[in-house]
Amino acid sequence: MDNRYGKLVSKIKAYNPNCDISILDRAYDLSKKAHEGQLRESGEPYIMHPLEVAHTLADLELDCTTIIAGLLHDTVEDTTCTVEQIREQFGEEIALLVDGVTKLDKIPYTTKEEQQAENLRKMFMAMAKDIRVILIKLADRLHNMHTLKYMPADKQIEKARETLEIYAPLAHRLGISKVKWELEDICLRYLHPNEYYDLVEKIAKKRREREAFIKNIIDEIKARTIELGVETQIDGRPKHFFSIYRKMEQQNKTLDQIYDLFAVRVIVNSVKDCYAVLGLVHELYKPIPGRFKDYIAMPKPNMYQSLHTTLIGHEGQPFEVQIRTWDMHRVAEVGIAAHWKYKEGTKAETELDNKLVWLRQMLEWQKDAKDANEFVETVKVDLFTDEVFVFTPKGDVVNLPAGSNPIDFGYAIHSGIGNKMMGARVNGEIVKLGYELKNGDIIEVLTSANVHGPSRDWLKIVKSSQARNKINQWFKKENREENVLRGKESIDKELKKQGLTYSQVFKSEWIDLMLKKFNFNSLEDTFSAVGYGGISSSKIVAKLKEEYRKTKPEELEDEIEQELLAKQEKEKEKKKKSLPENGVIVKGIENCLVRLSRCCNPVPGDKIIGYITRGRGVSVHRSDCTNVVNNTGEDERMIEVKWFTAANVAYKADITVMANDRTALLMEITNAIGEARIPLKAINARTTRDQIAIINLTLEINDTEQLDKIIKKLRKVDSVFEVTRNKQ
């Protein structure tokens, strides 16, 4: 064990001779003493875990401060040692790193999922203050994954899934590929064991054949670089199991159909040499069109730089060549860790800030995420996405998540541009706002002073968290009064559903606890957040209900539950008695099965008549419905029906809008419907050869008066020349 610590010291001295080993010794002694008597699930002494974490951090050649924090990272969580003690003995910086990695186990949460989400949220907050927090956490997770075999099967799957969803993508975003690949391969082994071991076996069988193929390629390239006078190191890099598995899944291919299981990596001394070698390999082998990527000119957000090209070998087999400098190679292996200087407590601040723009954005999003689960889901979406690189008309590069559209681009430039957006040109041509951007596209955003803000429908199609966040911010600021009212209504409905009253649960001390839990400043902020969809009314009521229950003795718990259930049942019965089915009364018959006919979709205000069907109750039609007119010979099956006007029931109505096609037409039509607060249930649009737009809409309305109003409003939309209600 002490021998393992000795190897750690030697490893650190090799790359950082200025490290103060005496502080490292003190940290090791404290960790060893604090964990004394504790064992891992594997049966080995617990101190082995922080030691292995420190070794991983040393492999990344991190500063001594980080390695000391790695040795101490579990002392606060798993022993009697406190953060204050760490601060007294090792200073503020190390205490902050240790605290950032420590879980929030001592805080009670309603569910395990909620606790996990809060732990991740805390980690991201600490990570934003000092990125080294996540480097320690990644090293911690890596060793835990290596010892996962000693855990129960359910824990193995849980940890592997969390690692694949959060930690491996984080390692990717930070550019630490050596950690990312290890984590992904271990996750594959536990999440898909059959596929993993099948892959291992099949790859092992053909290893010699592939290695011989790659060796020939390496020899040929090496000979030509010597002729060219370029100093190189060339090796074959086997693809990792997870990347092969993902390729097979995404492309629906077998292992035999994937030939580029190896990549040839060429490391040179300068950027000029990179492009010289690129020209050389393109002369030697035939490049595959569309498979060349220049990450030197356009680095990935995780700082990765390299030239990638896929070529066809002499035997017709494709293979990949990666060309990079030694500096690029180090960044490719250890990512953000490559930017640490070895002097204690210093790092290249400006350079790091430039590399971590995405992390600062993540911090902005968390301010608006009132719920830890919501924040973590946003993080997952952002971590998982690949990038697409596009250009502004001035030639500036903008990187966005793969699958992004012009709306994402607009908000990436500025929220003011996104909010005024009415259309976009891509490579000089007008495109739909849902157009999926491709690498190299040049985008020009078209704005208009007449556009008063984004559409809520945009939230369904944007891909970037940045755009989604800015759209939500607009709705929060612009419609605050409306959101507050909508939120109050939603909470009132939820209270009735739960059988509670406002006065029962909205006590000042409980409100304060609820505001603190969800990070709201006031009750009005809470109502507003519920109104714009930032948090559900059920979560607010659940927290208040939880406090309400705490005031009751345990023996009354069942009684309270029964009382609430009784209130709910009473409300249901009341509704059943007060509302006839579908808001229609059949003359002379009670509790009759009634359905509104789909052929004419009658709504309150229409003259209606009932038709007695065989076995399906009474079918209600408009009096002028052709199906009724054509059945005049069956008068005995007709029955008088009338609307029950007090019923609060919604009805579907189909209308057709015809207009001269133009940019933003559909957006203005849907905005008009949204402003009228009428639910839009379906939409179908097409354009004729004569550039006439025909838009079929299904709306949910209360009566013909409301329908007439929206028809008049739609007729006022520019370019619309006809709006009609659909008849059979």
Side-chain angles (χ1 to χ4, degrees), residues 190-207:
Y190 288 100
L191 293 175
H192 304 285
N194 293 337
E195 290 87 342
Y196 174 80
Y197 288 108
D198 183 52
L199 204 54
V200 171
E201 185 184 349
K202 285 179 178 175
I203 287 175
K205 282 181 181 177
K206 292 194 175 182
R207 188 179 298 279

Side-chain angles (χ1 to χ4, degrees), residues 442-696:
I442 301 170
I443 298 100
E444 180 188 353
V445 176
L446 306 175
T447 59
S448 169
N450 296 325
V451 175
H452 301 299
S455 163
R456 283 193 183 274
D457 290 339
W458 291 3
L459 291 168
K460 298 174 187 174
I461 61 172
V462 292
K463 292 293 180 184
S464 63
S465 300
Q466 184 183 16
R468 186 171 286 104
N469 182 52
K470 287 181 176 179
I471 293 168
N472 277 326
Q473 280 180 346
W474 188 89
F475 282 112
K476 276 192 288 184
K477 289 176 184 174
E478 296 297 317
N479 302 332
R480 184 169 172 82
E481 288 183 16
E482 187 182 314
N483 288 332
V484 169
L485 287 172
R486 192 185 291 126
K488 281 181 180 176
E489 288 173 7
S490 179
I491 286 175
D492 284 341
K493 284 180 184 176
E494 185 62 29
L495 286 169
K496 286 179 183 177
K497 186 178 169 184
Q498 299 277 352
L500 296 165
T501 63
Y502 192 91
S503 58
Q504 274 180 309
V505 295
F506 275 82
K507 309 284 186 188
S508 60
E509 63 272 24
W510 301 345
I511 291 171
D512 289 341
L513 288 169
M514 180 270 294
L515 294 177
K516 190 175 180 182
K517 177 178 172 61
F518 296 116
N519 296 323
F520 291 119
N521 295 320
S522 66
L523 198 53
E524 192 173 75
D525 285 347
T526 308
F527 292 142
S528 177
V530 173
Y532 70 74
I535 191 170
S536 66
S537 56
S538 60
K539 284 187 177 177
I540 301 297
V541 172
K543 178 59 183 171
L544 294 168
K545 184 178 173 182
E546 182 187 325
E547 298 304 323
Y548 168 66
R549 283 170 174 261
K550 287 178 186 175
T551 64
K552 304 291 179 182
E554 283 185 25
E555 59 268 19
L556 292 179
E557 195 73 26
D558 290 339
E559 187 180 324
I560 296 164
E561 188 66 44
Q562 291 301 321
E563 182 186 330
L564 294 175
L565 287 171
K567 282 185 180 179
Q568 289 174 10
E569 287 300 319
K570 197 172 180 182
E571 286 294 323
K572 285 180 186 176
E573 287 301 317
K574 196 174 177 183
K575 282 183 181 179
K576 280 182 184 177
K577 288 176 183 176
S578 63
L579 294 178
E581 188 171 2
N582 289 316
V584 175
I585 297 173
V586 180
K587 186 179 180 182
I589 305 175
E590 290 186 8
N591 298 323
C592 176
L593 177 64
V594 176
R595 65 182 182 87
L596 300 178
S597 172
R598 294 292 299 277
C599 59
C600 55
N601 286 334
V603 296
D606 288 334
K607 290 182 180 180
I608 52 175
I609 190 165
Y611 179 79
I612 302 169
T613 66
R614 292 184 174 89
R616 290 183 297 160
V618 174
S619 174
V620 178
H621 295 256
R622 297 211 308 255
S623 297
D624 59 352
C625 176
T626 54
N627 283 338
V628 173
V629 174
N630 293 338
N631 286 333
T632 49
E634 299 186 33
D635 290 346
E636 70 281 358
R637 295 178 67 179
M638 300 296 180
I639 189 166
E640 189 178 333
V641 292
K642 66 178 181 178
W643 295 107
F644 182 73
T645 53
N648 185 23
V649 182
Y651 304 85
K652 287 183 180 176
D654 295 324
I655 63 173
T656 296
V657 177
M658 297 185 74
N660 294 312
D661 194 24
R662 63 173 174 82
T663 302
L665 171 66
L666 193 59
M667 182 182 74
E668 289 183 26
I669 287 172
T670 54
N671 282 348
I673 295 167
E675 287 169 9
R677 295 189 186 178
I678 294 175
L680 176 61
K681 291 299 178 183
I683 185 167
N684 190 334
R686 61 188 176 88
T687 305
T688 67
R689 290 180 180 176
D690 300 327
Q691 295 301 300
I692 302 298
I694 302 173
I695 305 166
N696 295 310

Side-chain angles (χ1 to χ4, degrees), residues 1-2 27-37 47 50 71 75:
M1 200 185 307
D2 287 335
Y28 175 63
D29 291 339
L30 174 62
S31 185
K32 190 177 177 182
K33 187 178 177 182
H35 291 296
E36 196 170 6
I47 186 63
L71 284 170
T75 52

Side-chain angles (χ1 to χ4, degrees), residues 32-189:
K32 190 177 177 182
K33 187 178 177 182
H35 291 296
E36 196 170 6
Q38 292 181 350
L39 298 176
R40 297 269 291 170
E41 293 287 340
S42 61
E44 66 183 3
Y46 197 94
I47 186 63
M48 288 304 296
H49 172 63
L51 252 180
E52 292 305 319
V53 169
H55 268 280
T56 298
L57 296 171
D59 288 336
L60 296 173
E61 297 190 1
L62 286 164
D63 59 314
C64 272
T65 302
T66 311
I67 297 170
I68 290 165
L71 284 170
L72 298 170
H73 82 276
D74 269 345
T75 52
V76 173
E77 189 174 318
D78 295 328
T79 76
T80 56
C81 189
T82 65
V83 175
E84 286 68 32
Q85 287 174 286
I86 300 290
R87 188 175 288 111
E88 284 173 18
Q89 294 188 45
F90 298 96
E92 183 68 27
E93 189 177 9
I94 289 172
L96 284 172
L97 291 176
V98 172
D99 184 49
V101 184
T102 304
K103 292 179 188 171
L104 305 170
D105 286 339
K106 296 178 179 65
I107 300 176
Y109 290 98
T110 311
T111 65
K112 183 181 176 185
E113 289 74 19
E114 186 181 355
Q115 181 176 333
Q116 285 176 327
E118 284 290 358
N119 281 329
L120 287 167
R121 181 167 168 147
K122 181 200 173 190
M123 183 185 75
F124 276 102
M125 290 293 292
M127 169 184 163
K129 292 176 186 172
D130 194 323
I131 196 69
R132 291 174 294 180
V133 166
I134 197 60
L135 300 179
I136 297 167
K137 191 65 187 175
L138 285 171
D140 169 62
R141 180 52 64 111
L142 182 60
H143 185 246
N144 283 335
M145 292 302 287
H146 277 302
T147 57
L148 203 58
K149 61 183 175 184
Y150 300 107
M151 301 289 284
D154 59 329
K155 279 280 184 188
Q156 290 175 348
I157 292 171
E158 181 188 322
K159 290 291 180 189
R161 186 169 287 122
E162 184 185 48
T163 300
L164 197 59
E165 289 182 351
I166 297 288
Y167 293 100
L170 256 176
H172 171 66
R173 288 305 296 259
L174 295 170
I176 314 169
S177 55
K178 61 195 297 183
V179 173
K180 175 208 171 196
W181 292 330
E182 269 194 83
L183 289 175
E184 286 179 339
D185 282 357
I186 297 169
C187 290
L188 181 63
R189 192 193 315 164

